[in-house]
Amino acid sequence: MKNKFVKSTFILIVGGFITKIIGMLIKIVMTRLIGTEGIGVYSLVTPTFMLLISLASLGLPVAISKLVAEDNRNNKNLVFLCFPITLFINLIIMIFLFFFSGFISNNLLHEPRIKLSIICIGFVLPFISISSVLRGYFFGKQKMVPHVVSNVTEDLIRLIVISIGVPIFIKKGIEYAAAFIVLSNIVSELTSIFVLFFFLPKSFKIKRSDLVFDKRNVRDVLGISLPTTGSRLIGNIGYFFEPIIMTFFLLKSGYSNSFIVTEYGVINGYVMPLVLLPSFFTLAISQAIIPVISYSYSHGDFRNTKLKIKQGIFFSLLIGIPCTLIFLFFPSIPLKFIYNTDLGIGYIRVMSVVCLMHYIQSPISSSLQAMGKANDSMKGTLFGMILRSLVLIIGCSIHIGMWGLVIATSINIIFVTFYDYGKVSKYLKRNS
């Protein structure tokens, strides 16, 4: 189990590094093809996209990963039970978006140009949901190579599709280019699904028992997925309302819509992707740690559970601290190299320090979910979201521009990290 954790983490780190590079290339291509204003428009769509992905997936990948790792039930039955659940939810979301896309774009986000992009999200979600469930199965088996290969292939295909398609659609307008970027996920996710199916063992056969409705499996899956979804949903609801709250109060304070779109594009298009660049490392740790802690905690091996959490935090800081120092003292170098701009240097210096906490938050939160304490993770996210929203309202009302958003984001990261760490420590002390 120990060797598997190290091996899984290493594979995910290498794969995460490759996909992060490709992801940055996608960002560079997007930035240079649609410009700062186009990035700002697309950034307004992103919170809605993230919210709906969390809702459509229903936390099923985490539930599948945890239950498969425990290895005490029909794993194929777990997977097949998830498909009809997630597809039904996706159908409801598609219908909702078709009728309410205009209201969301015009009345909530105050940007009519994103209506088409919001409609397109509905067509993308089913493909994302299916590939997420399949990934959860491989994570539970601690087979990380299929995930890495599918991710790399998916991002390469998306890079190619965006590079070819955006120059064509930008001629029709920014709104069409943004919608095409959303739709490009269909091709990339389909590629990912095919790759994951390719990695299924040759002996893999579907029996009638694999397709039978199992009440126990449904109960166990939903018992984990719903709190996990609640946690992600709460976070993404806050992210969804972020541009709505920010736009409303900044407009009320006298800032122009042009200023809001441009500065929001700088923060979401340049600043956050850069300071979160090391997150590929912490995400790898978080993904690898779930099956290991699920197994050790469910079998009463609390010493190994504590050890793996400490290792997760240590490895996260190992890469996080050097990156923080670079972003803090030399922010113009990576900013100029990656985006060919010097916009957002002040934001980067502040966020780089705060994001050091964000790097360790991910493995800590994943540990809570692996220990079967997803409810606590959900509460921490809820309290953090409420605190973030209140600070955002105040910050956007006192004429400090986008610094209100930076401060609100920083406070949220710090609070949730300490909250989750406190809960993990509490449960481990109780069982030691």
Side-chain angles (χ1 to χ4, degrees), residues 227-393:
T228 302
T229 301
S231 181
R232 292 183 178 178
L233 203 56
I234 290 166
N236 283 302
I237 285 173
Y239 189 32
F240 170 75
F241 279 109
E242 174 188 288
I244 297 172
I245 294 171
M246 180 192 67
T247 302
F248 177 81
F249 284 97
L250 285 178
L251 288 173
K252 196 175 180 181
S253 299
Y255 292 93
S256 67
N257 190 65
S258 175
F259 168 85
I260 295 169
V261 170
T262 301
E263 287 297 298
Y264 194 57
V266 169
I267 291 176
N268 279 277
Y270 305 146
V271 176
M272 295 309 294
L274 190 60
V275 296
L276 293 178
L277 188 61
S279 64
F280 82 87
F281 195 95
T282 58
L283 179 61
I285 296 169
S286 303
Q287 292 170 332
I289 213 171
I290 289 178
V292 176
I293 291 182
S294 295
Y295 183 86
S296 60
Y297 192 82
S298 64
H299 287 77
D301 189 357
F302 304 117
R303 181 182 176 185
N304 189 53
T305 301
K306 187 182 295 186
L307 176 63
K308 287 296 172 280
I309 293 173
K310 286 182 178 179
Q311 287 179 346
I313 294 173
F314 173 76
F315 290 146
S316 298
L317 291 175
L318 196 63
I319 189 70
I321 291 175
C323 291
T324 298
L325 293 175
I326 292 172
F327 296 146
L328 182 62
F329 295 108
F330 311 103
S332 60
I333 295 177
L335 196 59
K336 194 73 176 177
F337 176 74
I338 296 174
Y339 298 112
N340 194 30
T341 183
D342 55 2
L343 297 174
I345 287 178
Y347 298 139
I348 289 174
R349 283 201 167 102
V350 173
M351 290 305 302
S352 63
V353 178
V354 176
C355 280
L356 189 59
M357 300 292 292
H358 186 274
Y359 303 148
I360 67 172
Q361 182 188 119
S362 187
I364 293 173
S365 299
S366 294
S367 299
L368 267 180
Q369 294 170 354
M371 293 161 63
K373 310 298 181 183
N375 279 322
D376 290 296
S377 180
M378 181 177 68
K379 289 177 184 177
T381 306
L382 174 61
F383 298 149
M385 186 269 286
I386 293 172
L387 182 61
R388 173 192 171 110
S389 299
L390 291 174
V391 175
L392 184 61
I393 291 171

Side-chain angles (χ1 to χ4, degrees), residues 13 18 50 174 211 254 277 287 289 312 329 365 373 406 422 428:
I13 287 171
I18 296 171
M50 295 299 103
I174 288 176
L211 304 175
L277 188 61
Q287 292 170 332
I289 213 171
F329 295 108
S365 299
K373 310 298 181 183
V406 173
L428 290 178

Side-chain angles (χ1 to χ4, degrees), residues 11-22:
I11 292 172
L12 288 172
I13 287 171
V14 173
F17 180 72
I18 296 171
T19 54
K20 203 69 179 179
I21 291 174
I22 301 172

Side-chain angles (χ1 to χ4, degrees), residues 4 38 53 94 103 131 154 222 228 274 287 308 407:
K4 278 189 175 182
I53 287 175
M94 290 176 69
F103 176 79
S131 66
E154 173 186 331
L222 295 180
T228 302
L274 190 60
Q287 292 170 332
K308 287 296 172 280
I407 294 170

